[in-house]
């Protein structure tokens, strides 16, 4: 029989599984049972839509059987099965989502990371088995087929004998080695506890023949063993259980089982509401940003159950966009099973649930921020940007909810601080909340524009994400303190003597500045004396609504309209360079033009803006050298 090769990525994953030294190999059973349960679900859904199909609950179950002698473990289900084509498509290649994630996991050497963080599905069987055989008959019905593989060199598919619709996954369990005991996966007791641990709430019975003993007939002291089929799982979904009965590990297992994420959840919320609307929910805040989170491929949403039955995989209406990172499920008795997506959106019950969930997430985040700062910062690093988008979008409609959850890096504390922390330690004479925008904390540290504000001893918030300044513009103020960019025209800092002096300079030097403005043309709106510079000779400031940082962001957007900041070149009249400018103004106009262009280009570079002609710029530098 012809052996077919695995698709490249599948092969690589398979290699990892086969050579895995992963300590939680037992999860293969969770993966296979979860597939079996999905397969039964598929029949169930079909029956919902197709009245000719009768779904009798008693006919649907999963069975785990052991043949210790021959080292065979079989996981059977009465689910939808696979056609020949599906066998090929499903088990010859990794599921699409898996293959994308796999790119980053490729670097993991021993496979630990990939298995720990990723759902690996069917292939995990190769962690414990030398040979995996799948015998399946699809409901759609083109007979039964056997898929078999003993590892990376490929798989075979051939017609097989199987009367009932469903799938048997047959594992030839590996021999023990010096380091590894595979007998565990043939041990009734161990298997039971693995099923209990990971798959207790599966909606269909997971049956197993268990060994019991009873007194021999006519004897009190002699016992004999017999086998009896038992349902191992309680089938009570975790969300219906009492919170007190559940451990953090149970919630983590549920998260893994459901493949909500490939990380561990950072925090969970278990909600049971029995009021105007009744529902249970388990929500998770993931620890890490999903690889596609900030792309348009990412779909937000919670699983939606109606009285224990899944009716939608990703119900987007349950989550506001700014909490799109939340994973989990909602189960409500008050929702109809056959509710369509269109009707769902207008469903009052659902709207109530969504509102309720939103406030629960907000309080959970507030609690984390207050009681577990470290965790909150982990969360914020992963998803803080989304909260800022939330402030910015919908014309600021949600800013009241979100503003207290924001954090920015502080020039003084050298770490993330909240707006409340900032405002509560503002000196009395400080009028504004100051911020500086730039590419990185280091770059902002060196921004000339921060000099005066820093010298006054005021704290500055550093904005390094594109959305920051836009979000702040929408917020406008926090606790009645307005936000102020260190580059804005008026810093609101009371004049001291030094400033008076520079005002004098301003009038005195008016002619010089006018000349410089003429040289620069419409590249700048104005040339002015700077009130904020201490050690640097020049900087750029912006008049009007658009800051220089915002200009950068807007220019980088696709279809950007040519929106520009109104740039003002500010000159430090206390700097030695200024004396050179003045003397050039008096005696050498060509030199003045050279200096002006140089200073302007320097200011652009400091801002991280491109200079329009780097060759001119370097030629200019050479001119002053010779
Ligand atoms: P995932 O479950 O994440 O999609 P798997 O590698 O576990 O990835 O399985 C791949 C596909 O194979 C499944 O999506 C499903 O279509 C099919 N499959 C696996 N096990 C079964 C089963 N017991 N019955 C029917 N189909 C199955």
């Amino acid at each position: 029989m012809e052996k077919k090769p695995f698709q490249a990525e599948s092969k690589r994953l398979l290699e990892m599984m086969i050579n895995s030294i992963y300590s939680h190999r037992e999860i293969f059973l969770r993966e296979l049972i979860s597939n079996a349960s999905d397969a039964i679900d598929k029949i169930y859904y079909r029956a919902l839509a197709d009245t000719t199909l009768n779904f009798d609950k008693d006919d649907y179950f999963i069975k785990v059987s052991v043949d210790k002698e021959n080292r065979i473990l079989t996981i059977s289900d009465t689910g939808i099965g696979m056609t020949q084509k599906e066998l090929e498509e499903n088990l010859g290649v990794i599921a699409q989502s898996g293959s994308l994630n796999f790119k980053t996991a490729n670097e993991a050497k021993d496979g630990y990371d990939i298995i720990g963080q990723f759902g690996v599905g069917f292939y995990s069987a190769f962690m414990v088995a030398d040979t995996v055989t799948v015998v399946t008959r699809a409901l759609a019905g083109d007979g039964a087929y056997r898929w078999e593989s003993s590892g990376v060199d490929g798989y075979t598919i051939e017609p097989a004998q199987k009367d009932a619709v469903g799938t048997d996954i047959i594992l030839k369990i590996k021999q023990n080695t010096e380091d590894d005991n595979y007998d565990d996966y043939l041990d009734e007791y161990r298997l039971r506890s693995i099923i209990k641990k990971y798959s207790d709430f599966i909606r269909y019975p997971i049956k197993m023949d268990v060994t019991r003993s009873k007194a021999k007939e006519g004897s009190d002291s002699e016992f004999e063993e017999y086998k009896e089929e038992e349902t191992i799982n309680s089938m009570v979904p975790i969300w219906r259980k009492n919170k007190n009965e559940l451990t953090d590990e149970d919630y983590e297992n549920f998260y893994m089982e459901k493949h909500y994420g490939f990380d561990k959840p950072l925090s969970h919320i278990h909600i049971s509401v029995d009021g105007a609307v009744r529902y249970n929910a388990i929500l998770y805040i993931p620890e890490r940003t999903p690889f596609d989170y900030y792309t348009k491929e990412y779909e937000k949403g919670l699983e939606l159950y109606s009285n224990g039955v899944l009716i939608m995989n990703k119900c987007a209406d349950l989550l506001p966009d700014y909490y799109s990172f939340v994973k989990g499920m909602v189960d409500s008795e008050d929702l109809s099973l056959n509710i369509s997506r269109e009707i769902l959106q207008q469903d009052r019950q659902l709207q109530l649930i969504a509102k309720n969930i939103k406030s629960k997430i907000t309080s959970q985040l507030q609690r984390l921020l207050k009681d577990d700062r470290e965790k909150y910062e982990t969360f914020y690093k992963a998803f803080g940007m989304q909260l800022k988008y939330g402030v910015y979008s919908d014309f600021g409609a949600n800013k009241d909810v979100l503003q207290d959850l924001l954090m920015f890096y502080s020039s003084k504390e050298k770490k993330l601080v909240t707006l409340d922390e900032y405002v509560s330690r503002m000196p009395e004479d400080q009028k504004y909340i100051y911020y500086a925008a730039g590419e990185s904390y280091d770059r902002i540290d060196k921004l000339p524009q921060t000099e005066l504000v820093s010298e006054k001893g005021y704290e500055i918030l550093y904005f390094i994400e594109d959305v920051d300044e836009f979000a702040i513009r929408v917020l406008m103020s926090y606790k009645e303190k307005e936000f102020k960019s260190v580059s804005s025209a008026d810093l609101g800092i009371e004049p001291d003597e030094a400033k008076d002096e520079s005002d004098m300079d301003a009038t005195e030097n008016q002619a010089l500045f006018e000349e410089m403005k003429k040289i620069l043309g419409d590249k700048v709106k104005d040339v002015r004396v700077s009130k904020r510079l201490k050690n640097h000779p020049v900087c750029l400031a912006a008049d009007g609504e658009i800051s220089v940082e915002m200009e950068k962001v807007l220019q980088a957007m696709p279809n950007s309209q040519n929106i520009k900041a109104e740039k003002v070149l500010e000159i430090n009249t206390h700097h030695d360079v200024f004396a050179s400018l003045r003397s050039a103004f008096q005696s050498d106009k060509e030199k003045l033009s050279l200096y002006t262009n140089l200073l302007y280009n320097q200011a652009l570079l400091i801002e991280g803006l491109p200079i329009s002609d780097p060759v001119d710029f370097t030629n200019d530098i050479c001119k002053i050298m010779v």
Side-chain angles (χ1 to χ4, degrees), residues 35-36 39 42 77 80-82 90-91 95 120-123 167 169 259:
N35 280 348
K42 282 179 191 158
D77 65 67
I80 198 151
M82 282 175 272
N90 294 337
L91 305 186
V120 288
F122 173 76
Y123 287 104
T167 304
I169 311 281
H259 294 173

Side-chain angles (χ1 to χ4, degrees), residues 244-458:
N244 310 333
E245 291 169 31
L246 296 163
T247 62
D248 284 349
E249 206 191 354
D250 290 326
Y251 290 107
E252 272 170 29
N253 281 335
F254 185 63
Y255 184 85
M256 300 293 284
E257 163 77 47
K258 287 299 216 165
H259 294 173
Y260 286 143
F262 302 120
D263 51 357
K264 270 194 176 176
L266 191 75
S267 176
H268 66 258
I269 315 171
H270 188 160
I271 312 170
S272 303
V273 175
D274 204 359
V277 57
R278 291 167 298 172
Y279 78 94
N280 294 300
I282 296 184
L283 308 179
Y284 294 96
I285 297 167
E287 185 178 36
R288 299 197 207 164
T289 330
F291 70 99
D292 61 348
Y293 186 63
Y294 290 109
T295 71
K296 60 179 187 312
E297 272 75 44
Y298 181 83
E299 268 182 82
K300 67 164 181 173
L302 299 176
E303 282 185 317
L304 185 61
Y305 290 76
S306 155
N307 209 1
V309 178
L310 186 71
I311 53 174
M312 201 186 286
N313 258 327
K314 280 207 170 142
C315 180
D317 298 320
L318 283 168
L319 289 175
D321 278 342
Y322 51 87
Y323 290 153
S324 62
F325 48 82
V326 173
K327 303 281 183 185
M329 51 73 52
V330 172
D331 183 15
S332 173
E333 300 163 43
D334 299 335
L335 294 169
S336 148
L337 246 189
N338 297 317
I339 197 161
S340 76
R341 265 160 216 263
E342 294 70 37
I343 299 171
L344 203 55
Q345 276 191 339
Q346 286 132 37
D347 190 88
R348 230 184 64 81
Q349 303 292 340
L350 195 84
Q351 286 169 359
L352 278 176
I353 296 175
K355 199 162 157 238
N356 198 264
I357 281 178
K358 184 171 81 181
S359 71
K360 298 271 185 195
I361 299 169
T362 307
S363 356
Q364 178 83 351
L365 290 174
Q366 283 165 343
R367 242 198 32 234
L368 274 185
L369 175 59
K370 196 163 143 279
D371 301 336
D372 198 340
R373 179 73 166 225
E374 206 179 312
K375 254 194 188 175
Y376 188 80
E377 285 186 21
T378 307
F379 154 76
Y380 196 77
K381 279 173 190 148
F383 300 108
M385 192 147 63
Q386 189 64 14
L387 299 186
K388 292 186 250 180
Y389 280 121
V391 170
Y392 170 69
S393 55
D394 297 327
F395 307 101
N398 306 301
K399 63 183 184 184
D400 290 343
V401 184
L402 296 173
Q403 59 183 0
D404 285 308
L405 295 172
L406 298 183
M407 291 181 122
F408 296 100
Y409 184 86
S410 149
S411 61
K412 275 200 168 165
E413 301 288 313
K414 304 284 176 214
K415 62 178 176 92
L416 293 172
V417 300
T418 64
L419 295 175
D420 187 50
E421 286 160 354
Y422 182 104
V423 167
S424 63
R425 57 177 170 242
M426 271 168 72
E428 223 164 276
D429 65 343
Q430 185 182 340
K431 285 197 221 135
Y432 299 109
I433 302 174
Y434 292 103
Y435 66 85
E439 268 163 45
S440 66
Y441 298 148
D442 287 347
R443 292 277 293 260
I444 301 177
D445 259 338
K446 292 186 186 152
L447 267 189
Q449 288 91 329
T450 62
E451 288 181 336
L452 177 67
V453 182
S454 299
E455 203 187 68
K456 280 297 270 185
Y458 299 159

Side-chain angles (χ1 to χ4, degrees), residues 71-73 128-130 171-175 182 185-186:
R71 300 189 75 79
I72 301 281
L73 175 67
V128 298
D130 290 323
L171 310 181
K172 175 92 181 161
I173 299 294
K174 291 185 187 180
Q175 293 292 343
Y182 293 98
Y185 310 117
L186 296 164

